[in-house]
Amino acid sequence: MTDSETIIIAFVNTIRPIFPSIVSNAAFAACVFTLFVLLLAVSTKESRRRLVFRLNVLAICLVLTMGALMSLVTGKAIVDPFNLVSTNTFIATIVFLVFPPLLYDSILLTRLFALYPVGSTPATTLMKIFAFPFCIKCARVVVITTGVHGFVGLGATTEALIQAESADWFRSPYLIAEWTMQIADNLYTVSLFLYNLHIRTSSMKRARSIAERLRQIFYIAIANFVFPLIFNVAQIVFITTDRSPFTGILLIVINHYITVIGVLCATLWFSGSELVRTRNKLLPAHMLNTLKPTLGRDGVAGWMSGSAVAPVGKGTVPHLTADLDPGADSKQLLTWEKESRHILV
């Protein structure tokens, strides 16, 4: 074996552990950026003003920043292994790997405010519901901050921190505690949300349009919870069995992207339907008059409510009351129509 072959083999063996992270990071970052552009294209002015929409945008910016830092750190290790990134850049990458899940989980928590509005829910009820997630998030902040502070003190250079990362990864009590509390946090929030949504959907069987929409929200919420849960469990398994941090970091990066993509797809689903409603409100008045024979006596009211859609030519016209029985409680339905608009955005 020649010297050049030996050098090539040594180089390949050096980059092999981090190569999957580079490829996965690039692929998921491109996917998130594409969905982000699509979100901006289909969102409306009304949806952009909502707090949860802005939190979603912030989550996207954080995960893209994490991807850029990961690409910088791993790319520098391959292109120039003897001149790694600065210590501050490496620490910033670690921070963006461990802190953003708190924001993602807070976005999930805001869904509960659609079921328990602050203005109409007693203070004692709000305290009972939000005391546990608030306390566990505070505990997570303390654990993450303590873990990052202890990790930073293990070395003054990037090389020393990389070596400390390999040694400190295996069975790190801070990471295990953080991921365990994250599972409990998400399990509580999503279970409470899905339970209340299921109860209220079951009580609205007569309102088929709204019940179907809430059922879709139910399935989306399950998907947004199940996939991050699987990766959290996998992270705990690997941190207790695999001494190499590369597999665990790969799972952490993928978990970040999967969580954000799930929230982003839910927001796209709502923004797309809201864009249809907004465009339908701009239809000319003579088009509404032509719809009266098909929509019945409540056609105009259905058009104003904006729930289900009935195809008309190239456009669609929202229609709600045509799907309801004569005895349906219209006040309750309109209330749920308003609440469901704030669940996923």
Side-chain angles (χ1 to χ4, degrees):
M1 184 178 295
T2 61
D3 294 339
S4 59
E5 292 176 346
T6 304
I7 294 174
I8 293 175
I9 292 175
F11 176 74
V12 171
N13 292 333
T14 301
I15 68 173
R16 180 178 296 172
I18 61 177
F19 188 74
S21 298
I22 297 175
V23 175
S24 301
N25 182 50
F28 278 107
C31 181
V32 169
F33 182 77
T34 303
L35 291 176
F36 180 46
V37 174
L38 182 61
L39 173 65
L40 296 180
V42 303
S43 60
T44 62
K45 292 182 179 180
E46 180 183 354
S47 64
R48 295 190 195 111
R49 287 195 295 265
R50 295 189 177 121
L51 174 61
V52 184
F53 182 90
R54 296 175 181 178
L55 290 177
N56 288 335
V57 173
L58 177 59
I60 295 170
C61 294
L62 287 177
V63 78
L64 291 178
T65 303
M66 180 210 69
L69 290 174
M70 281 290 300
S71 299
L72 178 61
V73 172
T74 54
K76 191 73 170 178
I78 292 177
V79 176
D80 192 3
F82 300 104
N83 185 22
L84 301 176
V85 296
S86 63
T87 304
N88 292 334
T89 303
F90 188 80
I91 294 175
T93 305
I94 299 298
V95 170
F96 273 92
L97 281 174
V98 295
F99 272 103
L102 286 169
L103 174 64
Y104 310 153
D105 299 338
S106 299
I107 295 176
L108 294 176
L109 185 63
T110 56
R111 293 174 176 176
L112 293 179
F113 287 104
L115 302 177
Y116 301 97
V118 177
S120 59
T121 305
T124 55
T125 303
L126 290 175
M127 185 174 298
K128 292 177 182 179
I129 293 173
F130 294 100
F132 176 77
F134 176 78
C135 293
I136 201 170
K137 281 180 172 56
C138 291
R140 290 175 61 186
V141 171
V142 172
V143 169
I144 295 175
T145 304
T146 305
V148 171
H149 182 267
F151 173 75
V152 172
L154 295 177
T157 63
T158 303
E159 291 81 0
L161 289 176
I162 292 176
Q163 294 178 358
E165 180 186 28
S166 301
D168 193 55
W169 161 264
F170 186 61
R171 296 182 180 176
S172 172
Y174 300 106
L175 292 178
I176 295 176
E178 152 61 11
W179 294 334
T180 303
M181 287 189 292
Q182 184 179 4
I183 292 175
D185 189 5
N186 291 342
L187 184 62
Y188 172 84
T189 302
V190 176
S191 298
L192 184 61
F193 173 78
L194 293 180
Y195 173 76
N196 283 273
L197 194 61
H198 175 70
I199 294 299
R200 303 193 187 192
T201 303
S202 301
S203 64
M204 298 182 63
K205 292 181 179 178
R206 302 174 70 181
R208 292 191 298 270
S209 58
I210 295 181
E212 180 62 26
R213 184 178 182 186
L214 295 181
R215 196 172 295 109
Q216 293 174 354
I217 296 174
F218 184 89
Y219 294 140
I220 291 174
I222 291 178
N224 287 350
F225 168 69
V226 169
F227 291 108
L229 174 64
I230 294 174
F231 279 98
N232 277 343
V233 174
Q235 288 169 186
I236 294 176
V237 170
F238 275 96
I239 197 175
T240 55
T241 58
D242 191 355
R243 292 183 177 273
S244 175
F246 294 110
T247 303
I249 291 176
L250 176 62
L251 289 175
I252 293 174
V253 172
I254 295 178
N255 193 13
H256 277 261
Y257 284 114
I258 291 296
T259 304
V260 173
I261 287 175
V263 175
L264 184 55
C265 288
T267 308
L268 278 171
W269 170 80
F270 179 87
S271 298
S273 60
E274 189 174 59
L275 181 63
V276 172
R277 291 196 301 268
T278 302
R279 289 182 176 179
N280 289 331
K281 291 179 180 179
L282 302 178
L283 288 175
H286 72 274
M287 294 185 64
L288 296 180
N289 295 330
T290 61
L291 295 175
K292 288 184 179 180
T294 59
L295 295 180
R297 61 177 182 176
D298 295 328
V300 177
W303 180 82
M304 291 300 293
S305 62
S307 179
V309 293
V312 180
K314 295 183 179 179
T316 55
V317 177
H319 180 54
L320 172 63
T321 56
D323 292 332
L324 305 182
D325 294 336
D329 188 348
S330 59
K331 182 178 180 180
Q332 180 186 15
L333 299 180
L334 291 176
T335 301
W336 265 101
E337 174 69 13
K338 292 178 181 179
E339 289 182 355
S340 63
R341 294 184 180 184
H342 300 276
I343 292 176
L344 286 177
V345 182

